[in-house]
Amino acid sequence: MPGWPDLTEDVGAVRAAIARQDRLQLLVEQYPSGGFHQERIVGNPTQAPVKGEPGHRYALVPLAPADRRPLAAAEVPDADGVLRARWRTNRTRADELRTYLAALRVGDTVTGVVSSGLRDIAVHIDLNDDLGRGVGWLRIPEMAWGQFDLGDVAPIGREIRAKILAVDYAWEQVSLSIKALQPDPWQVFADAHEVGETLSGQVTKLVPFGAFVRVVPGIEGLVPLAELADHDITEPEQAVSVGDDVRVALLDIDLARQRITLSLRTTGD
């Protein structure tokens, strides 16, 4: 990393340099203690900012973009352990990473490799760029529609395609979704079926208020207790058991809440 321009104790040379140039510049003054003072000047100031005190050194840094345009100032330890100011003219990896993130667009599709994971939370994705190592963040709910095995969808080392949901500059993280690239099974179901239709399904779970029936892969509906039989029952076990194949009527489709309501009673099963 380059340092400040050479500092000098030749006060006359610095004053002459100020007089010769009529542009924005930065006067750098180093104290005997190693500290720095910076002062912006333009052309010939009415009072010379160069005092010429013993032990002080100076440098004049052009600030016009064509001459020198520092990205930022930094403080780094020298070999003697003392912190001294430095120009940072070279882009750091952090600078390049932010540029890379800025080039990504929400809605774009990217390809990456699953690199690591947090159990039951998410996995990190290495995007297809050296700067994108581990910046992809794929949460469990965004991996697939319906129930799935993490080892089948996003095991370590698998290459995946995903849609960008958000770019977080503060956390240097890109939120991804595999699910967003797949058809919404609830929308597909709603487009293919109408209320009143009779469907085949299988009982998957019993709850105090009814039974759940899977009518297509990834879509389960509730048969309320009152819709399980033509006569009064107090618990679902009195009408069905888990694993039963049944015929159900479609009573309601709530696409916004991703719920369907079913009935066994109206089919006579």
Side-chain angles (χ1 to χ4, degrees):
M1 181 168 60
W4 290 103
D6 292 338
L7 293 158
T8 178
E9 295 182 6
D10 189 342
V11 176
V14 174
R15 288 173 178 165
I18 294 174
R20 287 196 306 267
Q21 302 184 51
D22 186 16
R23 66 176 103 181
L24 181 63
Q25 300 167 90
L26 184 71
L27 176 66
V28 179
E29 180 179 4
Q30 184 184 39
Y31 306 131
S33 62
F36 285 87
H37 170 73
Q38 306 165 35
E39 181 176 345
R40 291 191 177 192
I41 59 175
V42 177
N44 286 313
T46 55
Q47 292 185 348
V50 181
K51 304 300 183 183
E53 298 179 7
H56 289 230
R57 298 194 299 162
Y58 303 87
L60 194 62
V61 183
L63 291 184
D67 298 310
R68 185 184 186 105
R69 187 174 184 179
L71 296 173
E75 289 191 352
V76 295
D78 286 340
D80 59 5
V82 178
L83 289 177
R84 296 189 176 92
R86 291 290 187 271
W87 270 143
R88 178 161 59 79
T89 57
N90 294 337
R91 290 171 62 81
T92 66
R93 184 174 179 82
D95 295 323
E96 295 184 354
L97 176 57
R98 289 188 64 83
T99 299
Y100 171 74
L101 293 175
L104 300 176
R105 295 290 180 268
V106 172
D108 284 354
T109 299
V110 293
T111 303
V113 176
V114 180
S115 59
S116 62
L118 298 176
R119 183 178 179 86
D120 299 327
I121 299 177
V123 294
H124 293 283
I125 307 294
D126 288 346
L127 299 182
N128 284 354
D129 190 287
D130 178 59
L131 294 168
R133 298 290 178 185
V135 301
W137 179 248
L138 177 62
R139 296 174 56 246
I140 298 293
E142 294 298 332
M143 291 185 182
W145 297 97
Q147 297 180 346
F148 62 92
D149 187 333
L150 178 60
D152 294 334
V153 177
I156 304 300
R158 172 168 294 179
E159 183 176 271
I160 63 163
R161 291 177 68 251
K163 184 177 182 178
I164 297 177
L165 300 182
V167 179
D168 189 324
Y169 294 99
W171 287 90
E172 296 181 343
Q173 191 174 88
V174 181
S175 297
L176 303 173
S177 174
I178 296 176
K179 186 171 72 173
L181 296 179
Q182 304 168 346
D184 181 347
W186 287 93
Q187 184 64 62
V188 172
F189 180 87
D191 292 341
H193 300 280
E194 297 181 352
V195 171
E197 188 175 340
T198 299
L199 307 169
S200 297
Q202 185 178 70
V203 178
T204 58
K205 183 169 60 176
L206 303 181
V207 292
F209 48 85
F212 284 93
V213 175
R214 182 185 299 115
V215 290
V216 297
I219 302 292
E220 294 185 1
L222 173 66
V223 182
L225 194 63
E227 296 293 335
L228 279 173
D230 290 324
H231 56 280
D232 290 339
I233 58 175
T234 57
E235 54 187 27
E237 289 86 353
Q238 295 173 339
V240 293
S241 300
V242 172
D244 286 351
D245 293 323
V246 296
R247 295 279 290 171
V248 292
L250 181 57
L251 299 183
D252 181 64
I253 302 175
D254 188 339
L255 192 56
R257 301 171 68 186
Q258 297 187 339
R259 294 181 181 180
I260 58 174
T261 305
L262 307 170
S263 174
L264 266 169
R265 184 173 59 82
T266 58
T267 64
D269 286 3

